[in-house]
C-alpha cells in the first residue's frame, strides 16, 4: 500500500497536472479534489490475480500477469469516487527514458463495459472510499516490467500517483486464444510452460542417454534475469510483443559470441576458469550469475546447456518451449544442404577441405507460436537454437524455423530453414578429388543424418521420438522430393538430376463456395498432360486440420492415388472427405489443408499443390413477420439448423441493431443433433428509416454462425 505526498495547490485548474509533493490546503473546497491515498495491486501468490494468470509459482512478490487477460486492483481515495463527476485512468510505462530504446507509454481509460482487444478498466466494486478495478490488457501487448501511475481527475484538478515500486510484470499468455503463443491443450501447457523439470537426451543413436535438468524458470531472480537479458538485445520494446522476434533475440543472447550473452562456449579439453559443461544440472545458477554480474558471460556451455537455458528463458517469459535432441546431426558450412566429405585419390580424408561435420547428437529447442509472417500451415513448433554454429543475418543465432517447412523441404521460408534442414535430412556425399582438381561422387548415404529426434513426453519422463515431424520416412518418395526441393535453393542446385521436361500440371479445384460443415467435403484434383506421350505417377494426398492462425493440428486422412495419363489428356479425379472422417478433428474457426505431391515416373518431374479451404457454417435466417413501424411491436423469427450429428452445448444467441441501445442475450441451452431452432423475438423500433438487425450464435462446437436482415422502419 503506497502513501502519496502532494504539493501545495492553489486555484487548481482541472487541466493542470499536480505532481506528488506535500498537500496542504486551507480552502473550503478540499473535498472536491480526488486524491489517491493508496493502491493495492493484489499481488500475493495465492491471490486471485496470480492464480488466474498461472503465475503463482514465480518466487517474485510482484504482480505478474499474462497479457490478454483481466487482472484486478484496489484504489483508495481521499473521499468516495463519484462516477458522474470524477474520472480515472492508469498510465503504464515500459522501459526507461533512453533515446536508444525510448520505451512504451499506455493510457488505460475507465469504461462502463470491458471489450476484448483493448486497454480498458472498469469498476467492479465500490466500498466507501475504495474501488476495485478490473483491468483489461491487450493479447498483443509488449511483455516486460511496466511502471504504474494512477491518474485521478476531478473538478478541482488532475493528480498523479506513481505506484513505485509496485511494478507489473507482463508475460506471454498460452492460455489466451488471441495470443500468438496460444496452446489449446492444458496438459501441454503444464508441460511446456509450467514444468520446471525436464529431460535432455544425449549419446549416440544406438546408445541414447538422458539427464534431468532443472529449468528453474520460477526461482528467485530468474524473471528479472530474463528481462535484463531482453534489454541487452538492442531491439525496440515495441517488438517485445512478437514471439517470433523475442525467440530469435533469445537464441542470439543465450550465447556470448557477439553480444556478451549468457554462456561462453567451450569444446576443448580444458575448462580452467569456469565450470565443465557436463557439471551443470540446471539453468538457475547460470542465469543468476549472469544477472548479478551485470552481464558477464558465464563459463562454459555446450549445446545441451544452451538448450536448457533457452528453455528456461522462454518458459519464464511465457512461450511454450521444449528441448529436442537430434542424433547424427549434420553441420552444413557451405549452404549446399548436403554433408560433404572430400577424399583424395587414395580415398583418404582431405581434412583441410572437409569442413562439414556430423555430431553424435545436438540439442536445440522448439517453441510454439503462430507464424503470421509465413504462409498458412507453418505455425506450431519452431526450431530455435542458441548454440553458436553459423552466422544468421550477422549474429550467431538460429530460428525460429518452422518444423513443417523443414519436413517439406521449403527452405526458402525464414528463418534459417536451410541450416536446420541439413541438420536433419541432408545426404552425406563422399567426393573424390582427381589429379586435375575435378570432383566425382563415389558414395552417397541417404539415410544416415537425423536419427531418433527426441524430446520428453508430456506428463512423464518417457522419451518421445518426433523424427516424423521433421521428415517423411527415410527413402520414401515424399522424403526424396523434400531433399531435391531443398537442394534447388542450396549452393549446389544441380546436384540432383533435374526433370527432363515439365509437361504435367496439377491443381485442386473447389466447386462454388465450397463444402458445408456437417456434410462431405468434395473437391477435384485436375491433372493435365501436355505431351504426346503417356505419363504415370503415384500421388500422395494428406489432409490436415488447421487453426485459423495457420497452425496445423492433426492429419485427418492420407492415401495414395495411382495416375495414368494418356497423351494430351486432362483428367479430373474426384476427391471426397466424409463428415465422419473429420467430425472428431474440428477446431474453433478451423480450416482444412489438402496437400498433394508426387513424381512423374517417365520425366522425374515433381508434382506438388496445396489448397486451404474452410467448411462453411450455416447462416442465421432472420425474417420479420410484419411491417416495422416506430413505436409498434415487431415480431421477428430467427432460425438455424444444427448441421452436425452431435449436440451443441450451451448455445447463446446475441441480437443487436434496429436502434437497440444494448445487446440482447438469449441463453438457449443445448441443441440436439440436426435439430432446427426457431426463436420468436419482439422488438419496438424507435427510429425510422433503413435499419439492420444482427444475430450471432455463440457455441464451442460450431463457430462463425451469424446473420442479418435489412429492415425498413416506417414512421408512426
Amino acid at each position: 500500500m503506497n502513501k502519496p505526498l502532494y504539493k501545495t495547490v492553489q486555484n487548481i485548474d482541472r487541466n493542470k497536472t499536480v505532481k506528488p509533493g506535500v498537500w496542504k490546503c486551507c480552502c473550503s473546497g478540499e473535498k472536491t479534489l480526488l486524491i489517491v491515498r493508496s493502491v493495492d495491486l493484489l499481488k500475493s501468490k495465492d491471490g486471485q490475480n496470480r492464480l488466474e494468470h498461472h503465475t503463482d509459482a514465480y518466487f517474485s512478490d510482484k504482480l505478474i500477469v499474462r497479457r490478454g487477460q483481466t487482472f484486478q486492483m484496489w484504489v483508495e481515495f481521499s473521499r468516495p469516487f463519484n462516477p458522474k463527476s470524477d474520472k480515472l485512468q492508469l498510465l503504464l510505462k515500459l522501459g526507461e527514458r533512453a533515446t536508444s530504446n525510448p520505451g512504451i507509454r499506455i493510457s488505460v481509460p475507465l469504461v462502463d463495459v470491458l471489450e476484448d482487444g483493448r486497454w480498458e478498466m472498469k469498476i467492479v466494486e465500490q466500498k466507501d472510499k475504495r474501488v476495485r478495478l478490473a483491468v483489461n490488457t491487450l493479447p498483443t501487448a509488449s511483455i516486460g516490467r511496466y511502471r504504474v501511475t494512477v491518474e485521478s481527475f476531478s473538478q478541482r484538478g488532475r493528480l498523479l500517483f506513481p505506484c513505485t515500486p509496485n511494478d507489473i510484470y507482463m508475460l506471454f499468455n498460452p492460455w489466451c486464444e488471441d495470443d500468438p503463443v496460444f496452446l489449446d491443450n492444458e496438459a501441454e501447457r503444464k508441460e511446456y510452460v509450467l514444468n520446471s523439470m525436464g529431460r535432455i537426451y544425449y549419446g549416440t543413436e544406438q546408445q541414447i542417454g538422458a539427464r534431468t535438468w532443472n529449468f528453474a524458470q520460477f526461482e528467485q531472480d530468474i524473471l528479472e534475469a530474463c528481462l535484463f537479458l531482453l534489454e541487452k538485445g538492442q531491439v525496440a520494446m515495441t517488438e517485445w510483443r512478437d514471439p517470433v522476434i523475442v525467440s530469435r533475440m533469445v537464441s542470439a543472447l543465450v550465447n556470448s559470441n557477439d553480444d556478451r550473452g549468457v554462456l561462453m562456449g567451450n569444446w576443448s579439453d580444458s575448462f580452467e576458469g569456469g565450470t565443465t559443461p557436463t557439471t551443470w544440472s540446471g539453468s538457475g545458477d547460470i542465469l543468476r550469475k549472469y544477472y548479478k554480474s551485470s552481464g558477464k558471460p558465464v563459463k562454459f556451455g555446450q549445446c545441451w546447456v544452451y538448450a536448457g537455458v533457452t528453455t528456461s528463458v522462454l518458459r519464464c517469459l511465457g512461450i511454450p518451449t521444449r528441448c529436442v535432441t537430434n542424433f547424427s546431426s549434420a553441420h552444413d558450412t557451405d549452404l549446399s544442404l548436403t554433408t560433404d566429405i572430400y577424399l583424395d585419390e587414395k580415398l583418404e580424408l582431405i581434412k583441410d577441405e572437409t569442413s562439414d561435420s556430423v555430431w553424435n547428437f545436438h540439442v536445440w529447442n522448439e517453441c510454439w507460436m503462430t507464424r503470421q509472417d509465413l504462409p498458412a500451415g507453418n505455425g506450431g513448433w519452431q526450431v530455435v537454437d542458441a548454440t553458436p554454429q553459423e552466422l544468421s543475418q550477422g549474429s550467431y543465432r538460429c530460428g525460429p524455423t518452422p518444423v513443417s517447412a523443414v519436413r517439406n523441404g521449403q527452405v526458402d521460408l525464414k528463418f534459417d530453414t536451410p541450416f536446420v534442414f541439413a541438420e536433419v535430412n541432408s545426404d552425406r556425399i563422399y567426393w573424390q578429388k582427381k589429379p586435375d582438381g575435378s570432383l566425382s561422387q563415389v558414395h552417397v548415404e541417404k539415410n544416415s543424418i537425423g536419427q531418433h529426434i527426441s524430446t520428453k513426453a508430456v506428463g512423464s519422463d518417457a522419451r518421445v521420438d518426433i523424427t516424423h515431424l521433421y521428415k517423411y520416412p527415410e527413402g520414401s518418395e515424399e522424403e526424396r522430393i523434400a531433399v531435391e526441393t531443398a537442394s534447388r535453393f542450396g549452393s549446389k542446385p544441380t546436384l540432383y538430376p533435374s526433370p527432363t521436361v515439365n509437361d504435367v500440371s496439377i491443381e485442386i479445384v473447389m466447386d462454388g463456395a465450397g463444402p458445408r460443415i456437417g456434410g462431405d467435403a468434395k473437391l477435384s484434383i485436375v491433372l493435365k498432360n501436355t505431351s504426346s506421350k503417356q505419363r504415370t505417377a503415384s500421388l500422395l494426398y494428406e489432409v490436415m486440420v488447421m487453426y485459423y492462425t495457420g497452425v496445423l493440428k492433426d492429419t485427418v486422412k492420407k492415401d495414395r492415388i495411382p495416375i495414368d495419363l494418356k497423351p494430351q489428356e486432362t483428367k479430373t479425379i474426384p476427391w471426397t472427405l466424409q463428415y465422419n472422417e473429420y467430425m472428431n478433428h474440428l477446431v474453433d474457426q478451423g480450416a482444412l489443408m489438402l496437400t498433394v505431391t508426387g513424381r512423374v515416373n517417365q520425366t522425374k518431374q515433381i508434382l506438388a499443390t496445396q489448397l486451404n479451404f474452410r467448411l462453411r457454417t450455416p447462416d442465421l435466417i432472420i425474417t420479420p413477420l410484419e411491417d416495422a413501424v416506430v413505436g409498434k411491436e415487431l415480431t421477428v423469427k430467427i432460425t438455424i439448423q444444427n448441421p452436425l450429428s452431435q449436440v451443441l452445448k450451451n448455445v447463446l444467441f446475441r441480437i443487436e441493431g434496429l436502434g437497440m441501445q444494448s445487446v440482447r442475450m438469449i441463453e438457449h441451452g443445448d441443441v440436439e443433433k440436426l435439430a432446427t431452432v426457431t426463436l420468436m423475438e419482439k422488438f419496438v423500433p424507435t427510429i425510422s428509416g433503413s435499419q439492420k438487425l444482427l444475430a450471432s450464435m455463440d457455441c464451442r462446437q460450431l463457430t462463425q454462425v451469424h446473420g442479418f436482415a435489412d429492415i425498413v422502419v416506417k414512421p408512426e
Side-chain angles (χ1 to χ4, degrees):
M1 305 283 280
N2 295 342
K3 297 290 184 181
L5 296 174
Y6 293 97
K7 285 184 178 178
T8 302
V9 181
Q10 290 182 344
N11 300 321
I12 298 176
D13 184 273
R14 66 183 302 166
N15 296 314
K16 183 179 179 182
T17 299
V18 183
K19 296 182 179 179
V22 179
W23 170 251
K24 297 179 181 177
C25 184
C26 57
C27 63
S28 60
E30 175 185 320
K31 291 184 179 180
T32 62
L33 256 178
L34 184 67
I35 302 172
V36 176
R37 293 295 190 198
S38 64
V39 172
D40 183 356
L41 291 180
L42 302 174
K43 56 189 180 177
S44 65
K45 295 180 183 180
D46 57 354
Q48 178 182 354
N49 282 334
R50 296 280 293 268
L51 290 173
E52 289 184 352
H53 287 253
H54 307 279
T55 60
D56 50 300
Y58 286 86
F59 179 87
S60 174
D61 61 356
K62 303 293 187 181
L63 176 58
I64 305 170
V65 299
R66 299 190 187 275
R67 64 186 193 174
Q69 194 170 334
T70 300
F71 68 89
Q72 299 197 359
M73 58 186 286
W74 281 98
V75 179
E76 183 181 2
F77 300 106
S78 56
R79 59 170 174 77
F81 182 85
N82 185 344
K84 294 182 179 180
S85 58
D86 297 330
K87 294 182 180 179
L88 193 68
Q89 73 173 2
L90 293 184
L91 300 177
L92 303 180
K93 178 69 187 296
L94 176 65
E96 302 298 326
R97 300 180 184 276
T99 55
S100 60
N101 208 344
I104 296 172
R105 185 181 176 90
I106 297 164
S107 296
V108 185
L110 185 67
V111 298
D112 294 329
V113 179
L114 294 178
E115 294 186 28
D116 291 339
R118 296 185 180 183
W119 285 100
E120 293 177 338
M121 63 181 180
K122 66 172 288 188
I123 295 175
V124 292
E125 185 179 357
Q126 186 162 358
K127 289 184 177 180
D128 191 25
K129 300 177 183 179
R130 302 172 71 222
V131 296
R132 183 160 58 94
L133 300 170
V135 184
N136 207 31
T137 64
L138 279 184
T140 54
S142 290
I143 64 165
R145 183 177 62 211
Y146 286 83
R147 286 177 291 147
V148 185
T149 299
V150 179
E151 190 172 20
S152 61
F153 302 82
S154 64
Q155 294 178 353
R156 293 295 303 276
R158 167 176 172 253
L159 296 173
L160 298 176
F161 180 85
C163 298
T164 305
N166 286 331
D167 299 330
I168 296 175
Y169 289 75
M170 188 86 66
L171 306 177
F172 291 107
N173 193 352
W175 285 264
C176 174
E177 293 186 7
D178 295 322
D179 194 310
V181 303
F182 172 66
L183 190 58
D184 73 339
N185 185 296
E186 178 61 18
E188 292 181 355
R189 288 191 290 247
K190 288 180 179 178
E191 180 66 51
Y192 300 134
V193 182
L194 301 180
N195 193 357
S196 59
M197 285 288 176
R199 300 277 276 178
I200 300 178
Y201 300 96
Y202 65 95
T204 67
E205 58 186 278
Q206 290 86 17
Q207 297 172 301
I208 297 177
R211 63 180 303 162
T212 300
W213 191 270
N214 179 15
F215 298 121
Q217 71 266 35
F218 303 125
E219 291 184 5
Q220 186 174 5
D221 296 326
I222 300 302
L223 177 57
E224 289 78 4
C226 293
L227 295 178
F228 169 75
L229 189 63
L230 290 188
E231 291 171 0
K232 291 179 63 67
Q234 300 301 309
V235 172
M237 289 179 177
T238 53
E239 303 291 352
W240 291 15
R241 70 187 65 192
D242 188 348
V244 174
I245 294 174
V246 169
S247 61
R248 184 160 174 77
M249 180 165 55
V250 169
S251 79
L253 291 168
V254 168
N255 69 71
S256 67
N257 284 45
D258 42 28
D259 47 22
R260 287 184 60 80
V262 178
L263 275 164
M264 183 181 296
N266 186 343
W267 283 266
S268 72
D269 294 328
S270 174
F271 301 102
E272 291 184 16
T275 301
T276 305
T278 53
T279 303
W280 299 114
S281 58
S283 308
D285 284 349
I286 295 170
L287 286 168
R288 274 188 290 268
K289 278 187 179 182
Y290 184 74
Y291 175 52
K292 293 184 176 181
S293 67
S294 299
K296 181 180 179 181
V298 178
K299 302 175 181 179
F300 294 102
Q302 292 184 7
C303 66
W304 65 91
V305 189
Y306 287 114
V309 172
T310 300
T311 300
S312 302
V313 174
L314 294 179
R315 285 189 185 180
C316 182
L317 298 177
I319 300 177
T321 308
R322 63 188 185 184
C323 290
V324 172
T325 303
N326 178 36
F327 293 94
S328 294
S329 185
H331 180 174
D332 177 27
T333 59
D334 61 358
L335 295 178
S336 66
L337 281 81
T338 55
T339 303
D340 301 304
I341 299 170
Y342 296 96
L343 309 173
D344 61 18
E345 295 175 73
K346 299 179 181 179
L347 298 180
E348 293 182 0
L349 183 67
I350 306 175
K351 294 181 180 180
D352 58 352
E353 294 187 20
T354 302
S355 56
D356 291 353
S357 60
V358 179
W359 299 19
N360 283 341
F361 72 95
H362 180 47
V363 188
W364 58 65
N365 298 96
E366 286 177 359
C367 47
W368 182 272
M369 64 188 68
T370 62
R371 290 298 299 267
Q372 299 294 337
D373 57 326
L374 296 179
N378 289 290
W381 289 117
Q382 313 285 317
V383 172
V384 171
D385 191 351
T387 300
Q389 296 181 84
E390 298 293 331
L391 290 170
S392 173
Q393 296 178 325
S395 296
Y396 281 98
R397 56 187 170 183
C398 181
T401 307
V403 173
S404 58
V406 174
R407 185 174 187 245
N408 294 316
Q410 296 173 300
V411 297
D412 55 325
L413 299 179
K414 61 184 181 182
F415 292 95
D416 309 307
T417 316
F419 185 79
V420 177
F421 180 90
E423 287 183 300
V424 301
N425 204 16
S426 57
D427 287 348
R428 181 150 41 180
I429 302 180
Y430 294 81
W431 303 85
Q432 186 177 30
K433 195 169 188 179
K434 298 179 180 178
D436 62 0
S438 62
L439 297 169
S440 64
Q441 290 187 35
V442 293
H443 183 60
V444 179
E445 294 177 359
K446 296 183 178 181
N447 58 359
S448 64
I449 300 299
Q451 302 294 313
H452 300 302
I453 303 175
S454 302
T455 191
K456 177 188 173 297
V458 173
S460 79
D461 285 340
R463 182 181 68 87
V464 177
D465 193 307
I466 57 171
T467 308
H468 63 283
L469 298 181
Y470 282 83
K471 54 184 177 180
Y472 293 97
E474 290 283 9
S476 67
E477 186 72 357
E478 294 71 43
E479 187 262 347
R480 286 290 91 197
I481 288 173
V483 170
E484 294 178 27
T485 300
S487 72
R488 305 281 188 265
F489 296 91
S491 60
K492 298 177 181 177
T494 61
L495 183 62
Y496 298 95
S498 298
T500 53
V501 290
N502 294 296
D503 51 23
V504 177
S505 64
I506 183 172
E507 66 173 329
I508 302 170
V509 177
M510 181 173 64
D511 294 334
R516 285 187 174 275
I517 193 169
D520 295 346
K522 296 181 178 181
L523 307 174
S524 298
I525 302 171
V526 180
L527 294 116
K528 191 172 185 179
N529 178 13
T530 61
S531 77
S532 58
K533 297 181 179 179
Q534 183 184 31
R535 298 292 183 239
T536 59
S538 177
L539 298 180
L540 173 77
Y541 72 78
E542 182 176 20
V543 60
M544 302 184 74
V545 171
M546 183 174 68
Y547 294 95
Y548 76 97
T549 57
V551 175
L552 295 173
K553 185 176 186 286
D554 294 322
T555 294
V556 177
K557 184 180 180 181
K558 62 189 299 186
D559 205 350
R560 289 191 174 277
I561 306 173
I563 300 298
D564 191 344
L565 295 171
K566 297 175 182 177
Q568 302 294 325
E569 181 184 11
T570 297
K571 180 173 286 188
T572 299
I573 303 170
W575 182 87
T576 301
L577 179 66
Q578 296 178 349
Y579 171 64
N580 60 11
E581 293 176 312
Y582 71 76
M583 62 178 287
N584 295 323
H585 296 274
L586 293 176
V587 294
D588 189 15
Q589 299 187 47
L592 295 168
M593 174 183 281
L594 175 61
T595 302
V596 183
T597 57
R599 191 199 301 265
V600 178
N601 295 322
Q602 291 80 6
T603 63
K604 304 306 177 187
Q605 176 191 351
I606 293 174
L607 303 174
T609 188
Q610 200 170 63
L611 177 70
N612 302 331
F613 63 96
R614 70 179 183 89
L615 298 164
R616 293 188 297 127
T617 52
D619 294 329
L620 284 169
I621 307 301
I622 304 175
T623 308
L625 298 186
E626 59 251 344
D627 289 341
V629 180
V630 171
K632 182 181 177 182
E633 191 173 74
L634 168 68
T635 303
V636 175
K637 181 171 73 171
I638 303 171
T639 59
I640 175 71
Q641 183 184 16
N642 175 12
L644 304 182
S645 298
Q646 57 181 308
V647 177
L648 304 181
K649 299 284 189 180
N650 303 318
V651 172
L652 174 70
F653 291 95
R654 299 167 59 94
I655 304 171
E656 62 182 300
L658 203 63
M660 289 189 293
Q661 295 301 305
S662 59
V663 175
R664 183 180 298 184
M665 314 280 282
I666 303 168
E667 296 182 1
H668 184 80
D670 296 348
V671 177
E672 294 299 316
K673 59 184 181 181
L674 303 177
T676 297
V677 175
T678 300
L679 302 177
M680 305 295 286
E681 291 296 311
K682 297 182 183 296
F683 305 91
V684 178
T686 57
I687 304 173
S688 63
S690 180
Q691 304 283 340
K692 275 186 164 56
L693 184 64
L694 314 177
S696 64
M697 187 179 81
D698 186 0
C699 171
R700 292 296 299 176
Q701 294 89 0
L702 188 63
T703 62
Q704 294 284 25
V705 176
H706 44 78
F708 74 94
D710 288 309
I711 299 176
V712 177
V713 181
K714 299 176 182 179
E716 292 183 79

